[in-house]
Amino acid sequence: MPETSEQEFNQQRLQEVNEALGSGMFVYVRKLLHNLPAYDLALILESSTAKSRPVLWQLIEPDNQGEVLEELSEEVRKGILKSMRPEKVAAVAEGMDVDDLAEVLRTLPDSVYREVLNSMDSQDRARVETALSFDEDTAGGIMNTDTITLRPDVTVDVVLRYLRLKGTLPEATDSFYVVDRHDRFIGVVSLSALVTAKTEVVVSNLIDAEVEAIAADMPETDVAQLFERYDWLSAPVVDEEGHLLGRITIDDVIDIIREDAEHSMMSMAGLDDEADTFAPVIKSTSQRSIWLGVNLITALFAVAVSSQFEELLSILPILAILNSLVPSMGGVAGNQTLTLVIRGIALGHVGDSNARSLLYKELAVGFLNGLIWAVLIASFVALWKQDLMLGGVIAFAMLMNLTVAGLAGVVIPLLLKKLSIDPALAGSVILTTITDVVGIFAFLGTATLLLQ
Amino acid sequence: MPETSEQEFNQQRLQEVNEALGSGMFVYVRKLLHNLPAYDLALILESSTAKSRPVLWQLIEPDNQGEVLEELSEEVRKGILKSMRPEKVAAVAEGMDVDDLAEVLRTLPDSVYREVLNSMDSQDRARVETALSFDEDTAGGIMNTDTITLRPDVTVDVVLRYLRLKGTLPEATDSFYVVDRHDRFIGVVSLSALVTAKTEVVVSNLIDAEVEAIAADMPETDVAQLFERYDWLSAPVVDEEGHLLGRITIDDVIDIIREDAEHSMMSMAGLDDEADTFAPVIKSTSQRSIWLGVNLITALFAVAVSSQFEELLSILPILAILNSLVPSMGGVAGNQTLTLVIRGIALGHVGDSNARSLLYKELAVGFLNGLIWAVLIASFVALWKQDLMLGGVIAFAMLMNLTVAGLAGVVIPLLLKKLSIDPALAGSVILTTITDVVGIFAFLGTATLLLQ
């Protein structure tokens, strides 16, 4: 993972901006930011401390602010919107795509939200209100309304003349949607089918049968899967009666894919997937303390189990010294299985149909790895402490805990999913509690029976 | 995270396929697989046990096998290729995209590789050999060669007539590349600019100044960032002298984004990001045992530290019981910071320019959370064991370890990155070793001073 030239370049620019900002050279910073694409401006804001963001924001051209807001992650965006007056938000909102604007509006306090909506013209307001009427994690919530529609009975020649008259197409237009007179969706005609067809061909003959319309209430994860399955660049969204509502473009789908993939990693550490790296200290502290509290409770389970063996531990302090080994290995092995299963669930590879074969496999892997490490650690302990029995005790505990870890790594996430609890968030805590408790109990319990 | 209808549907189909396969109804399975898109066939293969994959593979239409290979993850693909004879591989290779074919060839043993290359016609072979000459993680390694080129001086009318003559365009064509007579890249003309322009306009006037050519040796992560920055759907790839070599399309970029995002999560559990969920038991066991071995070594560090306090532990067994608390909390807190920083590095938010402010922030967060949990756990212990001093000892250790955890969570990944070691792979092990050792030493060391 060596640094790429892009990363290096970004860091250098960031340094330059921050130094200029630090010395109060605002005019220079404004100049530095002037011609940057929205993506880069968002990158700079995300990489800056919470304190300097409002200052940087003031130095970005108002005309670009809408696009920058679109690119920002939710938490950073919220912080910036909070620092803006409602009229300002309304002004910035003007240039935004409907789907992004709806996302912004959802995060605003009610009074500001109303004020922004009221300041928009009626057509734009109607569009945004449609987008807002859908859940933000559905097709309707991420769609845009800038579609180009065609009638089925016109010829290619007519379409081409119409396009020339229009002069420009909405961004990322790769296809047109054919609708009837009631705006009901009939099919998709790709731009490339249009330019390769003879001019006298009728539009209805160019419809691509592979592209289906997406229902407005389809969850966004399903939308992403359809895009990946068919390598779409855009797709139409329809309501229950089949009326065309808008289109989803690949850039929105990329955001979904990235968020889904990041979600698991962040959740497993008890972090929000939109967590702001440079959030204020107090905010970060309170966000993290919840997770630490949950973990303290589970750690106290392990303490409770150990405390049952207080007498044994005072007689044989070597047990106290070795007590962390078996739980630690069980936790690592269990988390490997858990991570694999969580990814498998997210990719759609793991479910009811193959849960059993996966369980058998992971049990076998856990048992085999348990054997390997049982033998190794037992030999080590037996040699170190010249105590064969002690080696046997730790070997048994290791074998048992790693097998349980394999079992727990498969069962816990699948069970949580059935209960509609996010396995990435809750799985690791539950698993670690189990491998801690089983590990300590197996080790100290066997020791009680065999070593006293 | 409720199950979506797509996931449910996939699982049902998978069940049907597996049941039919189990009862030997091969003709029926073939029928079930017959009309599925390559993406779905790949999904079924990925979700099946390693044992049933070769059987399923035989039941997929040979004409579809190339596309399915393109969609498979590396490990699953390798397993299938191993079961095929070289002539078969060559036959399947015929319909594949150059970039995917090059990826497949890279995983083949040398003899098979040669045989496949020899069976191709000379033009295709030349294309694949070009792709193979680039590193697989660079623009050259992921590009395709199916570009459509235009001369700068022709009119839109001529281009449109040329396209109608061609009849079809390569998949996902959203733009054409303008080249001079030596095949040197001049610029990009989008399909939408072409259809909205007047027919007498000359191609050179339609060039989109925003799209730059990508150097063939640019790392793929940089390529993905450029695509995200400019919302490209495709981009041209050129050699050092500016000759057009091919193009990269958004579907390849999506794969990069997904892999990058998954990479961190899988690496943090010591798993390969292409790890096969349903790999054979022996293979999984040996892949995981390496990581477990590394963790055993680090766990032995903790054991070594504890063993310095053997006498103390036998006098005060309550210390043995509480000994896991402080390391556990330190590990959790440290991993939160580590995860945040690893994601920050991957997204390009964290680097030299802001490492210091991030360090101060995380130190403060660690210290504050240390204070909170020190007070709580000290009160708990003081009440439980009626021992104020013991409470004080654990409070001090907690505060110290959580502050160290914040420090380590920032410093370790940044240091590893400087050393070109993947922070996602090595970070967590190193961090946990530090929080274990510091936690135990702080707790038992302070106890030695204050409680004896």
Side-chain angles (χ1 to χ4, degrees):
Chain A
M1 216 173 151
E3 192 147 273
T4 65
S5 53
E6 274 293 315
Q7 284 174 324
E8 218 172 289
F9 176 75
N10 288 336
Q11 280 294 323
Q12 276 162 7
R13 189 175 53 203
L14 198 58
Q15 182 126 29
E16 201 177 354
V17 169
N18 277 327
E19 278 170 11
L21 203 65
S23 8
M25 296 157 68
F26 297 132
V27 179
Y28 182 59
V29 175
R30 194 191 294 270
K31 210 185 118 209
L32 283 176
L33 303 182
H34 181 63
N35 276 321
L36 294 182
Y39 176 90
D40 290 42
L41 292 170
L43 192 69
I44 291 175
L45 285 168
E46 302 256 8
S47 313
S48 300
T49 57
K51 217 171 49 192
S52 49
R53 279 177 195 150
V55 188
L56 279 168
W57 181 250
Q58 299 286 345
L59 300 171
I60 293 172
E61 309 264 309
D63 286 355
N64 294 338
Q65 290 182 336
E67 266 186 87
V68 176
L69 274 188
E70 292 177 9
E71 301 275 352
L72 287 176
S73 71
E74 205 179 306
E75 248 193 74
V76 177
R77 180 161 58 204
K78 261 192 206 163
I80 284 171
L81 286 171
K82 226 191 275 174
S83 72
M84 291 168 75
R85 272 173 302 137
E87 316 86 83
K88 277 267 184 188
V89 178
V92 168
E94 238 168 82
M96 290 176 74
D97 286 343
V98 172
D99 56 339
D100 295 305
L101 179 53
E103 216 186 307
V104 166
L105 288 176
R106 281 200 181 87
T107 63
L108 291 178
D110 248 23
S111 58
V112 185
Y113 172 111
R114 280 286 131 214
E115 199 165 334
V116 173
L117 264 193
N118 287 337
S119 71
M120 296 171 71
D121 73 42
S122 61
Q123 201 192 354
D124 283 350
R125 186 163 57 227
R127 282 188 184 155
V128 173
E129 281 176 337
T130 308
L132 283 168
S133 71
F134 297 103
D135 194 276
E136 63 176 320
D137 298 331
T138 62
I142 55 173
M143 74 183 180
N144 249 311
T145 48
D146 54 355
T147 56
I148 294 192
T149 54
L150 304 176
R151 282 293 155 79
D153 49 1
V154 296
T155 61
V156 167
D157 190 46
V158 172
V159 176
L160 285 174
R161 274 187 283 140
Y162 161 69
L163 294 177
R164 271 175 218 129
L165 215 66
K166 266 187 80 72
T168 54
L169 299 183
E171 246 180 273
T173 296
D174 71 309
S175 51
F176 308 113
Y177 302 145
V178 185
V179 293
D180 68 13
R181 63 181 65 226
H182 303 293
D183 237 17
R184 270 187 304 244
F185 175 75
I186 299 176
V188 168
V189 169
S190 72
L191 200 42
S192 55
L194 194 83
V195 294
T196 50
K198 298 211 169 66
T199 50
E200 66 273 17
V201 172
V202 176
V203 157
S204 59
N205 288 328
L206 296 175
I207 288 177
D208 181 351
E210 245 203 357
V211 185
E212 327 149 25
I214 291 175
D217 59 358
M218 181 183 279
E220 59 175 13
T221 321
D222 282 2
V223 173
Q225 204 182 27
L226 288 177
F227 268 78
E228 287 211 76
R229 174 178 294 156
Y230 299 112
D231 284 333
W232 289 339
L233 298 176
S234 71
V237 179
V238 295
D239 67 13
E240 280 166 9
E241 284 93 39
H243 297 107
L244 182 70
L245 295 176
R247 64 173 185 139
I248 295 175
T249 47
I250 188 81
D251 55 308
D252 299 312
V253 173
I254 290 181
D255 290 341
I256 299 168
I257 292 174
R258 183 191 283 288
E259 276 165 29
D260 277 357
E262 265 176 19
H263 169 82
S264 301
M265 171 171 100
M266 296 294 276
S267 299
M268 285 182 86
L271 298 165
D272 188 279
D273 43 23
E274 297 262 352
D276 170 11
T277 316
F278 295 93
V281 171
I282 298 295
K283 193 170 179 189
S284 292
T285 304
S286 72
Q287 281 174 343
R288 306 230 195 121
S289 64
I290 301 163
W291 192 245
L292 286 166
V294 171
N295 272 282
L296 181 62
I297 293 167
T298 70
L300 287 175
F301 274 103
V303 168
V305 175
S306 289
S307 73
Q308 301 305 309
F309 300 92
E310 185 160 354
E311 213 191 303
L312 180 70
L313 290 168
S314 72
I315 304 168
L316 288 169
I318 179 67
L319 296 180
I321 291 165
L322 294 173
N323 195 20
S324 63
L325 265 186
V326 175
S328 149
M329 292 292 278
V332 169
N335 266 306
Q336 288 194 314
T337 303
L338 183 77
T339 304
L340 204 70
V341 176
I342 286 173
R343 188 197 58 154
I345 292 174
L347 293 179
H349 294 170
V350 176
D352 286 343
S353 76
N354 47 17
R356 189 176 304 200
S357 57
L358 187 60
L359 180 65
Y360 292 154
K361 182 211 144 191
E362 288 297 324
L363 267 177
V365 171
F367 182 81
L368 277 182
N369 262 319
L371 262 187
I372 295 171
W373 298 109
V375 170
L376 276 171
I377 194 73
S379 319
F380 171 78
V381 168
L383 286 172
W384 178 33
K385 290 288 158 184
Q386 297 291 320
D387 186 339
L388 212 60
M389 205 54 147
L390 181 63
V393 168
I394 202 164
F396 171 77
M398 188 74 87
L399 181 60
M400 180 161 166
N401 204 26
L402 261 60
T403 311
V404 169
L407 175 78
V410 176
V411 172
I412 291 170
L414 286 171
L415 209 64
L416 287 173
K417 183 139 197 334
K418 283 251 178 290
L419 302 170
S420 294
I421 300 171
D422 181 2
L425 186 64
S428 187
V429 181
I430 300 177
L431 179 121
T432 311
T433 310
I434 292 177
T435 49
D436 276 1
V437 168
V438 171
I440 295 171
F441 207 82
F443 181 55
L444 296 183
T446 321
T448 309
L449 294 177
L450 298 180
L451 296 182
Q452 267 187 327
Chain B
M1 216 170 147
E3 193 147 88
T4 65
S5 52
E6 275 293 316
Q7 284 174 324
E8 219 171 289
F9 175 76
N10 288 336
Q11 281 294 322
Q12 277 163 6
R13 190 174 52 203
L14 198 59
Q15 182 125 26
E16 201 178 354
V17 169
N18 277 329
E19 279 171 10
L21 204 65
S23 10
M25 296 156 68
F26 298 133
V27 180
Y28 182 59
V29 175
R30 194 191 295 271
K31 211 185 115 209
L32 282 175
L33 303 181
H34 181 62
N35 276 320
L36 294 182
Y39 176 90
D40 290 42
L41 293 170
L43 192 68
I44 290 175
L45 285 168
E46 302 256 8
S47 314
S48 301
T49 58
K51 218 171 50 191
S52 50
R53 281 178 195 148
V55 188
L56 279 168
W57 182 248
Q58 300 286 344
L59 299 172
I60 293 172
E61 308 266 307
D63 287 355
N64 295 337
Q65 290 182 336
E67 266 187 87
V68 177
L69 275 188
E70 292 176 9
E71 301 275 352
L72 286 175
S73 71
E74 206 178 307
E75 249 191 73
V76 177
R77 181 160 59 205
K78 261 193 207 163
I80 283 171
L81 286 171
K82 228 192 273 172
S83 73
M84 290 168 76
R85 272 173 301 137
E87 316 87 82
K88 279 269 186 186
V89 178
V92 168
E94 237 167 81
M96 290 177 73
D97 287 344
V98 172
D99 55 341
D100 296 304
L101 180 53
E103 217 186 307
V104 166
L105 288 175
R106 280 197 181 89
T107 64
L108 292 178
D110 248 22
S111 58
V112 186
Y113 173 108
R114 278 288 131 217
E115 202 167 329
V116 174
L117 264 193
N118 287 336
S119 71
M120 297 171 70
D121 74 41
S122 59
Q123 202 193 353
D124 283 349
R125 184 162 58 231
R127 282 188 184 155
V128 174
E129 281 175 336
T130 309
L132 284 168
S133 70
F134 296 103
D135 194 276
E136 61 176 323
D137 298 331
T138 62
I142 55 172
M143 74 183 179
N144 249 311
T145 48
D146 54 354
T147 56
I148 295 192
T149 54
L150 305 175
R151 283 295 155 76
D153 50 1
V154 295
T155 60
V156 167
D157 190 44
V158 172
V159 175
L160 285 174
R161 273 188 284 138
Y162 162 70
L163 295 177
R164 271 176 218 131
L165 215 65
K166 265 186 82 72
T168 54
L169 300 183
E171 248 180 271
T173 296
D174 71 309
S175 51
F176 308 112
Y177 302 145
V178 185
V179 294
D180 67 14
R181 63 181 64 226
H182 304 293
D183 238 15
R184 271 188 303 246
F185 175 76
I186 300 175
V188 168
V189 170
S190 72
L191 198 42
S192 56
L194 195 82
V195 293
T196 49
K198 297 212 170 62
T199 51
E200 65 273 15
V201 172
V202 175
V203 157
S204 59
N205 288 329
L206 296 176
I207 289 178
D208 179 353
E210 243 204 356
V211 185
E212 327 150 24
I214 291 175
D217 59 358
M218 180 184 278
E220 58 175 14
T221 319
D222 282 2
V223 173
Q225 203 181 29
L226 287 178
F227 268 77
E228 288 211 75
R229 175 178 295 155
Y230 299 112
D231 284 331
W232 290 340
L233 297 176
S234 72
V237 179
V238 296
D239 68 12
E240 281 167 7
E241 285 93 39
H243 297 107
L244 181 69
L245 296 176
R247 65 172 183 141
I248 295 174
T249 47
I250 187 83
D251 54 309
D252 299 313
V253 173
I254 290 179
D255 290 341
I256 299 167
I257 291 173
R258 183 190 283 289
E259 276 165 31
D260 277 357
E262 265 176 18
H263 170 82
S264 301
M265 171 171 98
M266 297 294 276
S267 299
M268 286 183 85
L271 297 165
D272 189 279
D273 42 23
E274 297 262 354
D276 170 9
T277 316
F278 295 94
V281 171
I282 299 294
K283 192 168 178 192
S284 292
T285 304
S286 72
Q287 282 174 341
R288 308 237 191 117
S289 64
I290 302 164
W291 192 244
L292 286 167
V294 171
N295 271 282
L296 181 62
I297 294 168
T298 69
L300 287 175
F301 274 104
V303 168
V305 176
S306 289
S307 74
Q308 301 304 311
F309 299 95
E310 187 162 350
E311 212 191 302
L312 179 69
L313 290 170
S314 72
I315 304 168
L316 288 169
I318 181 65
L319 296 180
I321 291 165
L322 294 173
N323 196 19
S324 62
L325 265 186
V326 175
S328 151
M329 292 291 279
V332 170
N335 267 306
Q336 287 195 315
T337 304
L338 183 77
T339 304
L340 203 71
V341 175
I342 286 173
R343 187 195 60 152
I345 293 174
L347 293 179
H349 294 170
V350 175
D352 286 343
S353 75
N354 47 17
R356 188 176 304 201
S357 58
L358 186 60
L359 180 65
Y360 291 153
K361 181 209 145 193
E362 288 297 323
L363 268 177
V365 172
F367 183 80
L368 277 182
N369 262 318
L371 262 187
I372 294 172
W373 299 109
V375 170
L376 275 171
I377 194 71
S379 319
F380 171 78
V381 168
L383 285 173
W384 179 34
K385 290 287 157 185
Q386 296 291 324
D387 186 341
L388 212 62
M389 205 54 144
L390 181 63
V393 167
I394 202 164
F396 171 77
M398 189 73 89
L399 181 59
M400 179 161 167
N401 206 25
L402 260 61
T403 311
V404 168
L407 174 78
V410 177
V411 172
I412 292 171
L414 287 171
L415 208 65
L416 287 173
K417 183 137 201 326
K418 283 250 176 293
L419 302 169
S420 293
I421 300 171
D422 180 2
L425 186 63
S428 186
V429 181
I430 300 177
L431 178 119
T432 310
T433 309
I434 292 177
T435 49
D436 276 359
V437 168
V438 171
I440 295 172
F441 206 83
F443 180 55
L444 297 182
T446 322
T448 308
L449 295 176
L450 298 181
L451 296 182
Q452 267 186 326

